[in-house]
PDB file of all heavy atoms in Angstrom:
ATOM      1  N   ASN A  94     -58.901 -62.773 -49.564  1.00  0.00           N
ATOM      2  CA  ASN A  94     -59.967 -63.393 -50.302  1.00  0.00           C
ATOM      3  C   ASN A  94     -61.299 -62.790 -50.016  1.00  0.00           C
ATOM      4  O   ASN A  94     -62.244 -62.853 -50.834  1.00  0.00           O
ATOM      5  CB  ASN A  94     -60.069 -64.896 -49.924  1.00  0.00           C
ATOM      6  CG  ASN A  94     -58.735 -65.590 -49.940  1.00  0.00           C
ATOM      7  OD1 ASN A  94     -57.817 -65.168 -49.231  1.00  0.00           O
ATOM      8  ND2 ASN A  94     -58.580 -66.566 -50.780  1.00  0.00           N
ATOM      9  N   LEU A  95     -61.468 -62.215 -48.892  1.00  0.00           N
ATOM     10  CA  LEU A  95     -62.727 -61.485 -48.535  1.00  0.00           C
ATOM     11  C   LEU A  95     -62.924 -60.309 -49.473  1.00  0.00           C
ATOM     12  O   LEU A  95     -64.019 -60.209 -50.062  1.00  0.00           O
ATOM     13  CB  LEU A  95     -62.594 -61.005 -47.052  1.00  0.00           C
ATOM     14  CG  LEU A  95     -63.672 -60.175 -46.381  1.00  0.00           C
ATOM     15  CD1 LEU A  95     -64.994 -60.927 -46.450  1.00  0.00           C
ATOM     16  CD2 LEU A  95     -63.316 -59.866 -44.993  1.00  0.00           C
ATOM     17  N   VAL A  96     -61.913 -59.474 -49.651  1.00  0.00           N
ATOM     18  CA  VAL A  96     -62.047 -58.308 -50.526  1.00  0.00           C
ATOM     19  C   VAL A  96     -62.244 -58.830 -51.964  1.00  0.00           C
ATOM     20  O   VAL A  96     -63.098 -58.293 -52.690  1.00  0.00           O
ATOM     21  CB  VAL A  96     -60.693 -57.474 -50.524  1.00  0.00           C
ATOM     22  CG1 VAL A  96     -60.861 -56.212 -51.310  1.00  0.00           C
ATOM     23  CG2 VAL A  96     -60.208 -57.258 -49.070  1.00  0.00           C
ATOM     24  N   TRP A  97     -61.487 -59.831 -52.336  1.00  0.00           N
ATOM     25  CA  TRP A  97     -61.539 -60.409 -53.732  1.00  0.00           C
ATOM     26  C   TRP A  97     -62.922 -60.855 -54.007  1.00  0.00           C
ATOM     27  O   TRP A  97     -63.520 -60.564 -55.062  1.00  0.00           O
ATOM     28  CB  TRP A  97     -60.505 -61.510 -53.765  1.00  0.00           C
ATOM     29  CG  TRP A  97     -60.571 -62.321 -55.026  1.00  0.00           C
ATOM     30  CD1 TRP A  97     -59.921 -62.055 -56.166  1.00  0.00           C
ATOM     31  CD2 TRP A  97     -61.277 -63.557 -55.234  1.00  0.00           C
ATOM     32  NE1 TRP A  97     -60.182 -63.091 -57.088  1.00  0.00           N
ATOM     33  CE2 TRP A  97     -61.017 -63.982 -56.484  1.00  0.00           C
ATOM     34  CE3 TRP A  97     -62.076 -64.377 -54.421  1.00  0.00           C
ATOM     35  CZ2 TRP A  97     -61.524 -65.136 -57.037  1.00  0.00           C
ATOM     36  CZ3 TRP A  97     -62.628 -65.504 -54.926  1.00  0.00           C
ATOM     37  CH2 TRP A  97     -62.344 -65.908 -56.227  1.00  0.00           C
ATOM     38  N   ALA A  98     -63.611 -61.594 -53.057  1.00  0.00           N
ATOM     39  CA  ALA A  98     -64.940 -62.125 -53.330  1.00  0.00           C
ATOM     40  C   ALA A  98     -65.990 -61.011 -53.381  1.00  0.00           C
ATOM     41  O   ALA A  98     -66.845 -60.997 -54.221  1.00  0.00           O
ATOM     42  CB  ALA A  98     -65.252 -63.177 -52.294  1.00  0.00           C
ATOM     43  N   VAL A  99     -65.881 -60.067 -52.425  1.00  0.00           N
ATOM     44  CA  VAL A  99     -66.834 -58.999 -52.397  1.00  0.00           C
ATOM     45  C   VAL A  99     -66.775 -58.123 -53.700  1.00  0.00           C
ATOM     46  O   VAL A  99     -67.781 -57.777 -54.268  1.00  0.00           O
ATOM     47  CB  VAL A  99     -66.558 -58.057 -51.155  1.00  0.00           C
ATOM     48  CG1 VAL A  99     -67.274 -56.713 -51.267  1.00  0.00           C
ATOM     49  CG2 VAL A  99     -67.053 -58.819 -49.840  1.00  0.00           C
ATOM     50  N   GLU A 100     -65.503 -57.891 -54.150  1.00  0.00           N
ATOM     51  CA  GLU A 100     -65.336 -57.134 -55.413  1.00  0.00           C
ATOM     52  C   GLU A 100     -65.904 -57.873 -56.605  1.00  0.00           C
ATOM     53  O   GLU A 100     -66.456 -57.347 -57.533  1.00  0.00           O
ATOM     54  CB  GLU A 100     -63.908 -56.678 -55.594  1.00  0.00           C
ATOM     55  CG  GLU A 100     -63.434 -55.671 -54.530  1.00  0.00           C
ATOM     56  CD  GLU A 100     -64.372 -54.480 -54.314  1.00  0.00           C
ATOM     57  OE1 GLU A 100     -65.100 -54.106 -55.233  1.00  0.00           O
ATOM     58  OE2 GLU A 100     -64.417 -54.014 -53.172  1.00  0.00           O
ATOM     59  N   ARG A 101     -65.711 -59.179 -56.594  1.00  0.00           N
ATOM     60  CA  ARG A 101     -66.268 -59.973 -57.704  1.00  0.00           C
ATOM     61  C   ARG A 101     -67.771 -59.866 -57.745  1.00  0.00           C
ATOM     62  O   ARG A 101     -68.401 -59.745 -58.810  1.00  0.00           O
ATOM     63  CB  ARG A 101     -65.794 -61.395 -57.554  1.00  0.00           C
ATOM     64  CG  ARG A 101     -65.075 -61.977 -58.762  1.00  0.00           C
ATOM     65  CD  ARG A 101     -64.642 -63.335 -58.560  1.00  0.00           C
ATOM     66  NE  ARG A 101     -65.523 -64.277 -59.265  1.00  0.00           N
ATOM     67  CZ  ARG A 101     -65.153 -65.589 -59.546  1.00  0.00           C
ATOM     68  NH1 ARG A 101     -63.999 -66.023 -59.179  1.00  0.00           N
ATOM     69  NH2 ARG A 101     -65.986 -66.312 -60.170  1.00  0.00           N
ATOM     70  N   MET A 102     -68.414 -59.933 -56.571  1.00  0.00           N
ATOM     71  CA  MET A 102     -69.861 -59.897 -56.534  1.00  0.00           C
ATOM     72  C   MET A 102     -70.306 -58.447 -56.868  1.00  0.00           C
ATOM     73  O   MET A 102     -71.332 -58.242 -57.541  1.00  0.00           O
ATOM     74  CB  MET A 102     -70.312 -60.213 -55.076  1.00  0.00           C
ATOM     75  CG  MET A 102     -70.073 -61.631 -54.712  1.00  0.00           C
ATOM     76  SD  MET A 102     -70.933 -62.798 -55.740  1.00  0.00           S
ATOM     77  CE  MET A 102     -72.604 -62.744 -55.004  1.00  0.00           C
ATOM     78  N   ARG A 103     -69.523 -57.444 -56.455  1.00  0.00           N
ATOM     79  CA  ARG A 103     -69.839 -56.082 -56.755  1.00  0.00           C
ATOM     80  C   ARG A 103     -69.852 -55.819 -58.320  1.00  0.00           C
ATOM     81  O   ARG A 103     -70.754 -55.151 -58.846  1.00  0.00           O
ATOM     82  CB  ARG A 103     -68.945 -55.081 -56.089  1.00  0.00           C
ATOM     83  CG  ARG A 103     -69.611 -53.779 -55.753  1.00  0.00           C
ATOM     84  CD  ARG A 103     -68.649 -52.669 -55.542  1.00  0.00           C
ATOM     85  NE  ARG A 103     -67.717 -52.816 -54.424  1.00  0.00           N
ATOM     86  CZ  ARG A 103     -67.876 -52.318 -53.208  1.00  0.00           C
ATOM     87  NH1 ARG A 103     -68.950 -51.595 -53.010  1.00  0.00           N
ATOM     88  NH2 ARG A 103     -66.969 -52.484 -52.286  1.00  0.00           N
ATOM     89  N   ALA A 104     -68.893 -56.449 -58.973  1.00  0.00           N
ATOM     90  CA  ALA A 104     -68.838 -56.293 -60.384  1.00  0.00           C
ATOM     91  C   ALA A 104     -70.051 -56.886 -61.102  1.00  0.00           C
ATOM     92  O   ALA A 104     -70.589 -56.372 -62.013  1.00  0.00           O
ATOM     93  CB  ALA A 104     -67.504 -56.952 -60.906  1.00  0.00           C
ATOM     94  N   VAL A 105     -70.487 -58.043 -60.591  1.00  0.00           N
ATOM     95  CA  VAL A 105     -71.685 -58.710 -61.168  1.00  0.00           C
ATOM     96  C   VAL A 105     -72.947 -57.796 -60.918  1.00  0.00           C
ATOM     97  O   VAL A 105     -73.762 -57.622 -61.759  1.00  0.00           O
ATOM     98  CB  VAL A 105     -71.914 -60.078 -60.578  1.00  0.00           C
ATOM     99  CG1 VAL A 105     -73.247 -60.693 -60.904  1.00  0.00           C
ATOM    100  CG2 VAL A 105     -70.752 -61.012 -61.006  1.00  0.00           C
ATOM    101  N   LEU A 106     -72.969 -57.264 -59.740  1.00  0.00           N
ATOM    102  CA  LEU A 106     -74.050 -56.296 -59.393  1.00  0.00           C
ATOM    103  C   LEU A 106     -74.110 -55.106 -60.410  1.00  0.00           C
ATOM    104  O   LEU A 106     -75.189 -54.849 -61.024  1.00  0.00           O
ATOM    105  CB  LEU A 106     -73.822 -55.738 -57.997  1.00  0.00           C
ATOM    106  CG  LEU A 106     -74.832 -54.635 -57.550  1.00  0.00           C
ATOM    107  CD1 LEU A 106     -76.027 -55.282 -56.928  1.00  0.00           C
ATOM    108  CD2 LEU A 106     -74.168 -53.741 -56.563  1.00  0.00           C
ATOM    109  N   ILE A 107     -72.977 -54.518 -60.613  1.00  0.00           N
ATOM    110  CA  ILE A 107     -72.961 -53.331 -61.494  1.00  0.00           C
ATOM    111  C   ILE A 107     -73.393 -53.731 -62.945  1.00  0.00           C
ATOM    112  O   ILE A 107     -74.085 -53.011 -63.625  1.00  0.00           O
ATOM    113  CB  ILE A 107     -71.539 -52.689 -61.471  1.00  0.00           C
ATOM    114  CG1 ILE A 107     -71.347 -52.042 -60.106  1.00  0.00           C
ATOM    115  CG2 ILE A 107     -71.313 -51.673 -62.613  1.00  0.00           C
ATOM    116  CD1 ILE A 107     -69.964 -51.702 -59.724  1.00  0.00           C
ATOM    117  N   ARG A 108     -72.899 -54.944 -63.385  1.00  0.00           N
ATOM    118  CA  ARG A 108     -73.257 -55.384 -64.745  1.00  0.00           C
ATOM    119  C   ARG A 108     -74.755 -55.668 -64.911  1.00  0.00           C
ATOM    120  O   ARG A 108     -75.267 -55.597 -65.980  1.00  0.00           O
ATOM    121  CB  ARG A 108     -72.461 -56.621 -65.141  1.00  0.00           C
ATOM    122  CG  ARG A 108     -71.055 -56.349 -65.622  1.00  0.00           C
ATOM    123  CD  ARG A 108     -70.521 -57.503 -66.431  1.00  0.00           C
ATOM    124  NE  ARG A 108     -70.536 -58.794 -65.709  1.00  0.00           N
ATOM    125  CZ  ARG A 108     -69.597 -59.212 -64.900  1.00  0.00           C
ATOM    126  NH1 ARG A 108     -68.566 -58.457 -64.671  1.00  0.00           N
ATOM    127  NH2 ARG A 108     -69.674 -60.380 -64.321  1.00  0.00           N
ATOM    128  N   ASN A 109     -75.427 -56.054 -63.772  1.00  0.00           N
ATOM    129  CA  ASN A 109     -76.779 -56.522 -63.895  1.00  0.00           C
ATOM    130  C   ASN A 109     -77.794 -55.682 -63.296  1.00  0.00           C
ATOM    131  O   ASN A 109     -79.011 -56.025 -63.244  1.00  0.00           O
ATOM    132  CB  ASN A 109     -76.868 -57.992 -63.307  1.00  0.00           C
ATOM    133  CG  ASN A 109     -76.092 -58.998 -64.149  1.00  0.00           C
ATOM    134  OD1 ASN A 109     -76.635 -59.437 -65.147  1.00  0.00           O
ATOM    135  ND2 ASN A 109     -74.855 -59.212 -63.758  1.00  0.00           N
ATOM    136  N   VAL A 110     -77.378 -54.521 -62.695  1.00  0.00           N
ATOM    137  CA  VAL A 110     -78.294 -53.747 -61.904  1.00  0.00           C
ATOM    138  C   VAL A 110     -79.566 -53.254 -62.638  1.00  0.00           C
ATOM    139  O   VAL A 110     -80.551 -53.110 -62.060  1.00  0.00           O
ATOM    140  CB  VAL A 110     -77.480 -52.605 -61.150  1.00  0.00           C
ATOM    141  CG1 VAL A 110     -77.153 -51.507 -62.122  1.00  0.00           C
ATOM    142  CG2 VAL A 110     -78.222 -52.088 -59.939  1.00  0.00           C
ATOM    143  N   ILE A 111     -79.391 -53.060 -63.924  1.00  0.00           N
ATOM    144  CA  ILE A 111     -80.572 -52.564 -64.674  1.00  0.00           C
ATOM    145  C   ILE A 111     -81.448 -53.642 -65.241  1.00  0.00           C
ATOM    146  O   ILE A 111     -82.424 -53.349 -65.991  1.00  0.00           O
ATOM    147  CB  ILE A 111     -80.077 -51.517 -65.827  1.00  0.00           C
ATOM    148  CG1 ILE A 111     -79.039 -52.196 -66.651  1.00  0.00           C
ATOM    149  CG2 ILE A 111     -79.645 -50.192 -65.277  1.00  0.00           C
ATOM    150  CD1 ILE A 111     -78.908 -51.658 -68.084  1.00  0.00           C
ATOM    151  N   ARG A 112     -81.158 -54.883 -64.986  1.00  0.00           N
ATOM    152  CA  ARG A 112     -81.806 -56.031 -65.584  1.00  0.00           C
ATOM    153  C   ARG A 112     -83.118 -56.354 -64.841  1.00  0.00           C
ATOM    154  O   ARG A 112     -83.803 -57.339 -65.174  1.00  0.00           O
ATOM    155  CB  ARG A 112     -80.934 -57.247 -65.780  1.00  0.00           C
ATOM    156  CG  ARG A 112     -79.890 -57.042 -66.836  1.00  0.00           C
ATOM    157  CD  ARG A 112     -79.006 -58.246 -66.987  1.00  0.00           C
ATOM    158  NE  ARG A 112     -79.762 -59.422 -67.265  1.00  0.00           N
ATOM    159  CZ  ARG A 112     -79.483 -60.637 -66.903  1.00  0.00           C
ATOM    160  NH1 ARG A 112     -78.405 -60.884 -66.140  1.00  0.00           N
ATOM    161  NH2 ARG A 112     -80.233 -61.689 -67.270  1.00  0.00           N
ATOM    162  N   GLY A 113     -83.352 -55.799 -63.734  1.00  0.00           N
ATOM    163  CA  GLY A 113     -84.517 -56.105 -62.930  1.00  0.00           C
ATOM    164  C   GLY A 113     -84.106 -57.082 -61.762  1.00  0.00           C
ATOM    165  O   GLY A 113     -83.052 -57.730 -61.911  1.00  0.00           O
TER     166      GLY A 113
END
Side-chain angles (χ1 to χ4, degrees):
N94 310 59
L95 176 60
V96 188
W97 172 86
V99 165
E100 292 313 328
R101 235 177 103 163
M102 293 298 281
R103 209 201 299 261
V105 170
L106 172 87
I107 291 165
R108 278 203 303 277
N109 291 277
V110 75
I111 52 159
R112 289 181 59 213

